[in-house]
């Protein structure tokens, strides 16, 4: 495929800057600023990078369409003391080379910054082969990953800069949609967007604006999670008005349900997981059509949230 | 704690501390001479330099049957000889596959085949970017080359001209479908310099390991007796 399909305007309804475009703009600067940083690519993204004037162009490595090698090379670079940023679409970064992610980073005890593009449905016409909604659930089977799901390009920039400065294993999941306004993110905490008496709705990353619209007028707490691993159990507990939690995630439904179960393990509670469904729809079309099909459009969210909470 | 360094003639005795048997099968010893010659004559790394960024790296990709590797590490003083007696126990640092986080001097944890060569490409690339002339040497088995991940690494290393990377293929003819035309040809066509040697001949191994490679990555195919023999 041509990755040009993914550069179409992310969403006609928002003027928020595109996360992926910002990522490509930032990479040359991050490389120039820190001699440890190496961008590891598998064709995708190469043509969008402006490398003119970059002295350290040897630190932009294009491995060709070799996604197992993409992650193994990141592991080897980390073993040599460098800080790799590995980038491609979510299914090729996490699903295809999953054992490399497990062994060549985790088992070796080294880190890398994995940055995916495409979210779950950035190229709906591409169908199931290019859908990436199983990534966070897969990483959940591994140890020691921080997972950021930024809801705005400014948040992505902040999270990326701090990830690159560290040594650990970080996954940044870039989505083609963004919220209108960025929040101040610190890479650990959820934000309290709204307080209410009849339960909590946790909105992850780019779904925040939609969750705020869907819960308009409902007496519920809305938390915003731009970072989902480690899961911020402390904020969830500290703001809990009623032991009913709705998770709204832009990837596989119920990915974080176990986190809520752990966070509230000593309380009788209920959890509703919303997100992308398990089964293959075998549909193309638009992102909006997929969101409606999975019940994570504004109307679907309002229906599920109010039904679950009895509001 | 005093760590004693031993010679090649001590290796059977060190192996026996792990296997409890003076006679060792081919899978346990197929790598023995290649690893010995590397540590004895080629690699610039020792027990005192396991954290030195300029050290040469030896990556054992073929993590199965690591007794020969452990015996050499003990002989060279990376681990205490008595540790060999704990091989495979719950609280041992020496597993049936090695773990880099447990054993001083072990560069990668391995066991699942087809990971070492890709890690070696990244390590060699990293050392080149960092301006170090350290060598990266990765040892794979002939059957391990079945894994497609190796094809990715062999192709890329050739194009990138990773001249400080060497792959040692210990060939004991264990690949079910074999390698028509020979293993070295698969590397050569991707731009590697290659050598075929008797994997039991220390001088031949030494010559192959130190051959001039003309700015290319280097593959040494070390032929040993068949796994079935």
């Amino acid at each position: 495929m041509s990755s040009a399909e993914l550069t179409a305007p992310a969403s006609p309804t928002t003027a928020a800057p595109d996360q992926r475009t910002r990522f490509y703009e930032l990479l040359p600067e991050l490389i120039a600023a820190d001699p440890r940083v190496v961008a590891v690519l598998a064709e995708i993204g190469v043509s969008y990078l402006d490398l003119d004037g970059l002295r350290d162009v040897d630190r932009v490595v294009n491995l060709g369409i070799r996604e197992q090698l993409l992650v193994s090379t990141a592991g080897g670079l980390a073993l040599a003391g460098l800080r790799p940023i590995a980038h491609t679409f979510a299914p090729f970064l996490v699903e295809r080379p999953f054992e490399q992610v497990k062994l060549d980073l985790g088992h070796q005890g080294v880190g890398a910054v994995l940055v995916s593009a495409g979210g779950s449905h950035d190229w709906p016409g591409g169908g199931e082969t290019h859908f990436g909604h199983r990534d966070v659930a897969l990483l959940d089977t591994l140890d020691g990953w921080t997972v950021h799901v930024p809801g705005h390009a400014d948040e992505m920039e902040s999270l990326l800069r701090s990830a690159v400065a560290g040594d650990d294993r970080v996954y940044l999941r870039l989505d083609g949609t963004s919220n209108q306004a960025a929040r101040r993110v610190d890479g650990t905490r959820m934000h309290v967007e709204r307080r209410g008496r009849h339960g909590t709705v946790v909105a992850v990353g780019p779904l925040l604006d939609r969750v705020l619209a869907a819960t308009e007028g409902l007496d519920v707490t809305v938390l915003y999670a731009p970072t989902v691993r480690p899961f911020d159990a402390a904020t969830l507990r500290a703001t809990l008005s009623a032991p009913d939690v709705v998770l709204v995630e832009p990837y596989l439904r119920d990915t974080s349900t176990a986190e809520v179960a752990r966070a509230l393990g000593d309380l009788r509670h209920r959890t509703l997981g919303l997100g992308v469904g398990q089964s293959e729809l075998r549909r193309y079309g638009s992102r909006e059509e997929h969101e409606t099909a999975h019940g994570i459009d504004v109307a679907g969210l309002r229906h599920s949230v109010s039904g679950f909470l009895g509001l | 704690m005093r760590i004693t360094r031993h010679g090649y003639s001590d290796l059977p005795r060190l192996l026996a501390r792990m296997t409890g048997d003076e006679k060792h099968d081919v899978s346990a010893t197929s790598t023995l001479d290649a690893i010995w010659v590397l540590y004895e004559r080629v690699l610039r790394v020792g027990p005192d330099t396991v954290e030195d960024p300029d050290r040469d790296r030896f990556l054992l990709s073929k993590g199965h049957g690591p007794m020969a590797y452990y015996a050499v590490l003990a002989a060279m003083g990376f681990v205490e000889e008595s540790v060999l007696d704990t091989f495979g126990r719950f609280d041992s640092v020496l597993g049936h596959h090695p773990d880099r986080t447990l054993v001083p001097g072990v560069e990668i944890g391995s066991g699942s085949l087809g990971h070492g060569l890709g890690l070696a490409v990244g390590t060699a690339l990293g050392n080149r970017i960092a301006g170090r002339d350290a060598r990266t040497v990765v040892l794979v088995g002939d059957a391990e080359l079945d894994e497609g991940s190796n094809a990715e690494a062999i192709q890329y290393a050739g194009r990138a001209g990773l001249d400080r990377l060497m792959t040692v293929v210990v060939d004991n003819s264990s690949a079910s479908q074999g390698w028509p035309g020979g293993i070295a040809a698969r590397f050569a066509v991707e731009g590697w310099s290659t050598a075929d040697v008797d994997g039991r001949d220390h001088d031949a191994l030494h010559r192959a390991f130190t051959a001039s490679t003309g700015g290319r990555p280097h593959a040494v195919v070390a032929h040993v007796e068949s796994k079935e023999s």
Side-chain angles (χ1 to χ4, degrees):
Chain A
M1 66 162 280
S2 159
S3 45
E5 277 95 338
L6 274 177
T7 59
S11 166
T13 60
T14 175
D18 181 62
Q19 298 178 24
R20 185 178 174 212
T21 303
R22 178 76 65 83
F23 171 66
Y24 295 145
E25 290 169 359
L26 273 175
L27 259 184
E29 180 199 326
L30 294 172
I31 290 163
D34 183 347
R36 293 195 319 147
V37 173
V38 183
V40 193
L41 309 170
E43 297 295 355
I44 286 167
V46 173
S47 60
Y48 300 107
L49 279 175
D50 180 7
L51 302 175
D52 290 346
L54 183 68
R55 280 182 312 155
D56 307 297
V57 79
D58 63 325
R59 285 191 280 124
V60 179
V61 180
N62 177 14
L63 299 168
I65 306 171
R66 299 185 175 97
E67 286 98 1
Q68 295 182 72
L69 186 64
L70 177 79
V71 179
S72 297
T73 297
L77 287 163
L79 287 169
L82 299 172
R83 184 59 166 161
I85 302 173
H87 167 66
T88 184
F89 294 163
F92 315 138
L93 186 61
V94 178
E95 294 179 15
R96 185 198 296 260
F98 179 70
E99 202 198 21
Q100 277 73 18
V101 175
K102 180 181 87 167
L103 294 180
D104 298 350
L105 295 169
H107 182 57
Q108 306 307 330
V110 295
V113 183
L114 304 188
V115 180
S116 73
S120 295
H121 294 119
D122 273 10
W123 186 33
E128 183 68 25
T129 59
H130 282 62
F131 290 170
H133 52 270
R134 297 176 170 85
D135 50 352
V136 180
L138 272 169
L139 287 177
D140 261 352
T141 67
L142 304 178
D143 183 34
W145 282 88
T146 296
V147 178
H148 300 305
V149 188
H152 192 280
D154 293 350
E155 297 174 11
M156 187 282 297
E157 176 170 347
S158 169
L159 295 166
L160 177 63
R161 287 183 185 281
S162 67
V164 167
D167 285 308
D168 49 355
R169 293 186 284 282
V170 180
Y171 180 58
L172 261 98
R173 183 184 206 271
L174 309 192
D175 201 289
T177 47
S178 292
N179 304 309
Q180 287 287 349
R183 269 64 178 174
R184 186 178 294 276
V185 297
D186 72 355
T188 62
R189 281 180 303 113
M190 297 199 285
H191 289 236
V192 183
E193 295 285 333
R194 186 186 290 168
R195 285 193 184 254
R197 290 175 295 171
H198 298 296
T200 300
V201 182
V202 178
V204 174
L207 290 179
L208 175 61
D209 279 358
R210 221 174 303 157
V211 168
L212 289 173
T215 56
E216 188 68 44
L218 300 182
D219 189 8
V220 297
T221 295
V222 176
L223 301 179
Y224 171 54
T227 295
V228 293
R229 300 291 181 278
F231 189 79
D232 180 11
T235 299
L236 178 66
R237 287 189 68 105
T239 59
L240 199 67
S241 54
D244 297 317
V245 178
V246 182
L247 281 166
V248 186
E249 303 185 87
Y251 34 76
L252 191 66
R253 178 188 301 157
D254 283 319
T255 293
S256 296
T257 300
E259 297 286 347
V260 174
R262 275 190 281 274
L264 306 180
D266 59 337
L267 300 173
R268 287 182 184 273
H269 67 276
R270 299 189 307 142
T271 307
L272 174 66
L274 302 176
V276 179
Q278 182 92 28
S279 57
E280 287 195 39
L281 297 184
R282 302 192 186 276
R283 301 286 179 159
Y284 303 105
S286 70
R287 172 212 301 279
E288 289 75 16
E289 287 171 310
H290 283 266
E291 289 164 349
T292 300
H294 291 293
I296 51 174
D297 59 336
V298 172
L301 288 171
R302 187 165 183 95
H303 177 78
S304 296
V305 170
S306 54
F308 180 71
L309 298 178
L311 298 171
Chain B
M1 182 178 74
R2 182 167 167 271
I3 292 176
T4 311
R5 187 175 160 159
H6 302 285
Y8 182 75
S9 61
D10 292 299
L11 294 178
R13 181 178 58 77
L14 296 171
L15 277 163
R17 293 187 76 150
M18 288 171 278
T19 63
D21 185 351
E22 291 297 333
K23 185 174 184 301
H24 309 289
D25 67 19
V26 173
S27 66
T29 63
S30 63
T31 60
L32 185 68
D33 295 281
I35 296 175
W36 173 260
V37 172
L38 284 168
Y39 276 95
E40 173 72 4
R41 305 198 203 177
V42 178
L43 297 170
R44 296 176 309 177
V45 64
D48 302 334
T49 56
V50 294
E51 301 289 339
D52 183 346
D54 291 320
R55 73 191 182 280
D56 286 344
R57 270 77 162 180
F58 174 72
L59 281 58
L60 182 74
S61 185
K62 191 182 106 66
H64 302 279
M67 291 83 84
Y69 183 40
Y70 293 153
V72 173
L73 289 176
M76 293 292 161
F78 287 89
V79 296
E80 206 178 351
E81 183 182 327
S82 61
V83 173
L84 301 176
D85 300 335
T86 68
F87 179 60
R89 289 187 200 157
F90 182 73
D91 57 353
S92 177
V93 298
L94 304 182
H96 292 181
H97 299 135
D99 184 333
R100 72 175 294 273
T101 69
L102 299 178
V103 194
V106 168
E107 298 284 358
I108 60 167
S110 57
S112 180
L113 298 175
H115 291 264
L117 193 43
L119 284 167
V121 164
T123 303
L125 202 54
N127 282 330
R128 183 165 82 178
I129 288 168
R132 304 179 192 120
D133 75 344
R135 288 186 90 182
T136 302
V137 179
V138 56
L139 187 148
V140 304
D142 66 298
E144 183 181 1
L145 288 176
D146 290 356
E147 297 282 5
S149 54
N150 289 309
E152 295 184 9
I154 292 167
Q155 291 159 3
Y156 179 74
R159 304 305 181 284
L162 292 177
D163 60 339
R164 303 301 289 161
L165 173 66
M166 176 164 72
T167 301
V168 180
V169 185
V170 171
D171 182 5
N172 63 351
S173 307
S174 57
S176 294
Q177 283 80 35
W179 294 99
I183 290 170
R186 308 304 174 101
F187 284 85
V189 77
E190 298 294 350
W192 293 55
S193 70
T194 65
D196 279 279
V197 293
D198 175 349
R200 299 301 187 189
D201 182 333
H202 291 192
D203 290 333
L205 285 166
H206 181 237
R207 280 194 301 275
F209 292 157
T210 54
S212 173
T213 65
R216 293 173 292 171
H218 188 44
V220 175
V221 184
H223 299 273
V224 298
E225 55 274 33
S226 165
K227 185 184 179 187
E228 306 303 329
S229 65

